[in-house]
């Protein structure tokens, strides 16, 4: 690969050149495979909802959604109306899309593209009803708008508690413009076996709330759903009418009992070596002289830095990259646009222009997350937009 940037070329060309050096490769076949892994664990009648919030956990909501719709996913969910707009445009009117955190100022746009809001508080429900009367196109005025009622069973973030539900029922009965399609809750510790009692409490509490809401709609079944990825794996018998799959679809494990070992990583970040130098023991590398070589070393420079999402905590040997079959640790601090790695133990044939894996099949996201003191979700969602997404 030609890694030399011609200074006479335009800024755009330079960005393009950079983007061909460090890319995030998204394997949509692995995504489809992961979807099937989950499907095979569920009853055939259980629906699936795919979380494509935060641009599909950073992997590209549009491409991911297209593929999952082909695979037969029933629902999509985004966090904000802005995130739903390109999906609605690309996927057409039929795929139901839930908005988990509808911004009240986006209601008009939300109605226009038929996104289905989560309803999580009485105040929000009131504003929704008010805005429906104001903004709903004339032709849809008399049709009740689909909503999804969120129950707070123990996360204590958003949602109705049991004692708040009668107010909601009252509001819904007096304003027949909202039609609850589903009732759901979100588990806080589904991945933690030591907290299973709490999860069972959440599920039981949710059941009570769902029964109460359902009793107001005797002639129509409201879909019930509670399980995220780890819930689906660990509390499969509570799948109810639908499960909500996020991180597992992207091939990242949340439980380590072997049940998720067949998931395949969807995202991998690759870069190239743009420079190699040999230094004697005692030489220091990078800002702050934090990388002190303890032996004669070959050090390679990789064009990925903290501005690309390669967190500064990965520096000074905390993380490794895969180079020609060898795990090579970082040396010194991560820079904004680059990082140095020690390739002394890699084959001597490794040369400028060779590919390195930043994360993927050989450098699990889970390992990087540990190096940074966070969870894989954050590693996956923090690959910056400067890193071009390439779909295979
Ligand atoms: C993000 C999210 C999920 C998915 O969680 P994962 O752990 O990624 O499977 C499910 N439900 C809700 C409400 C969410 O916000």
């Amino acid at each position: 690969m030609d890694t030399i940037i011609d200074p006479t070329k335009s800024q755009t060309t330079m960005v393009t050149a950079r983007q061909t050096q460090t890319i995030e490769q998204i394997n949509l076949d692995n995504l489809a495979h992961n979807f099937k892994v989950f499907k095979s664990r569920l009853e055939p009648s259980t629906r699936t909802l795919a979380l494509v919030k935060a641009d599909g956990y950073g992997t590209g909501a549009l491409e991911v959604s297209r593929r999952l719709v082909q695979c037969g996913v029933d629902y999509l969910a985004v966090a904000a109306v802005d995130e739903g707009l390109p999906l609605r445009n690309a996927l057409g009117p039929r795929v139901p899309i839930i908005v988990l955190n509808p911004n009240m100022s986006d209601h008009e746009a939300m109605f226009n593209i038929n996104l289905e809001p989560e309803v999580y508080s009485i105040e929000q429900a009131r504003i929704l009803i008010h805005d429906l009367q104001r903004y709903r196109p004339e032709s849809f005025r008399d049709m009740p708008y689909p909503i999804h009622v969120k129950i707070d069973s123990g996360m204590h973030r958003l949602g109705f508690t049991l004692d708040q539900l009668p107010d909601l029922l009252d509001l819904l009965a007096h304003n027949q413009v909202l039609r609850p399609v589903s009732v759901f809750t979100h588990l806080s510790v589904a991945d933690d076996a030591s907290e299973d009692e709490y999860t069972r409490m959440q599920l039981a509490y949710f059941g009570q709330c769902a029964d109460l809401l359902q009793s107001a709609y005797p002639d129509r079944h409201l879909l019930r759903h509670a399980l995220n990825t780890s819930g689906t794996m660990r509390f499969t018998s509570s799948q109810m009418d639908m499960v909500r799959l996020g991180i597992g679809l992207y091939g990242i494990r949340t439980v380590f009992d072997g049940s998720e070992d067949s998931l395949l990583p969807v995202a991998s970040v690759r870069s190239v070596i743009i420079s190699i130098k040999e230094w004697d023991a005692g030489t220091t590398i990078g800002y702050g002289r934090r990388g002190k070589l303890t032996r004669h070393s070959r050090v390679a420079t990789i064009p990925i830095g903290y501005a690309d999402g390669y967190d500064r905590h990965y520096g000074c040997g905390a993380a490794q990259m895969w180079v020609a079959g060898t795990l090579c640790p970082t040396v010194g601090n991560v820079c904004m646009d680059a990082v140095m790695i020690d390739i002394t133990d890699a084959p001597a044939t490794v040369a400028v222009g060779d590919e390195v894996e930043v994360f993927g099949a050989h450098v699990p996201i889970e390992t990087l997350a540990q190096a940074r003191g966070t969870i894989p979700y954050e590693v996956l969602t923090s690959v910056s937009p400067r890193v071009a997404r390439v779909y295979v």
Side-chain angles (χ1 to χ4, degrees), residues 177-218:
V177 292
L178 297 180
R179 184 173 68 94
V181 175
S182 84
V183 52
F184 72 108
T185 195
H186 197 32
L187 302 173
S188 9
V189 278
D191 57 337
D192 184 349
S194 72
E195 291 276 15
D196 282 355
E197 204 178 319
Y198 193 80
T199 300
R200 278 191 286 271
M201 180 283 291
Q202 281 195 272
L203 290 168
Y205 184 87
F206 170 64
Q208 278 182 286
C209 295
D211 287 347
L212 181 58
L213 190 69
Q214 178 67 70
S215 67
Y217 298 91

Side-chain angles (χ1 to χ4, degrees), residues 83-224:
E83 294 182 329
L85 182 61
L87 299 185
R88 178 56 80 222
N89 289 340
L91 302 171
R94 280 205 303 277
V95 181
I97 304 173
I98 296 180
V99 189
L100 297 169
N101 281 315
N103 182 333
M104 313 218 182
S105 62
D106 290 341
H107 281 165
E108 188 179 4
M110 182 178 81
F111 299 142
N112 285 336
I113 55 173
N114 213 18
L115 303 179
E116 305 179 3
E118 161 181 323
V119 169
Y120 57 80
S121 75
I122 196 81
E123 298 81 10
Q124 182 219 1
R126 285 206 188 95
I127 294 170
L128 198 57
I129 290 168
H130 172 267
D131 286 353
L132 261 174
Q133 283 150 355
R134 189 156 158 219
Y135 295 125
R136 198 94 209 274
E138 206 60 57
S139 49
F140 289 103
R141 270 287 148 76
D142 301 325
M143 273 193 247
Y145 201 82
I147 58 165
H148 302 266
V149 177
K150 172 79 151 292
I151 303 298
D152 181 357
S153 62
M155 179 77 90
H156 303 148
R157 182 172 63 177
L158 294 173
F160 292 87
T161 54
L162 189 57
D163 60 313
Q164 292 172 329
L165 274 180
D167 281 350
L168 176 67
L169 290 178
D170 200 45
L171 185 72
L172 293 176
H174 287 97
N175 299 275
Q176 304 260 345
V177 292
L178 297 180
R179 184 173 68 94
V181 175
S182 84
V183 52
F184 72 108
T185 195
H186 197 32
L187 302 173
S188 9
V189 278
D191 57 337
D192 184 349
S194 72
E195 291 276 15
D196 282 355
E197 204 178 319
Y198 193 80
T199 300
R200 278 191 286 271
M201 180 283 291
Q202 281 195 272
L203 290 168
Y205 184 87
F206 170 64
Q208 278 182 286
C209 295
D211 287 347
L212 181 58
L213 190 69
Q214 178 67 70
S215 67
Y217 298 91
D219 49 357
R220 196 160 59 75
H221 178 68
L222 307 184
L223 297 177
R224 295 183 189 203

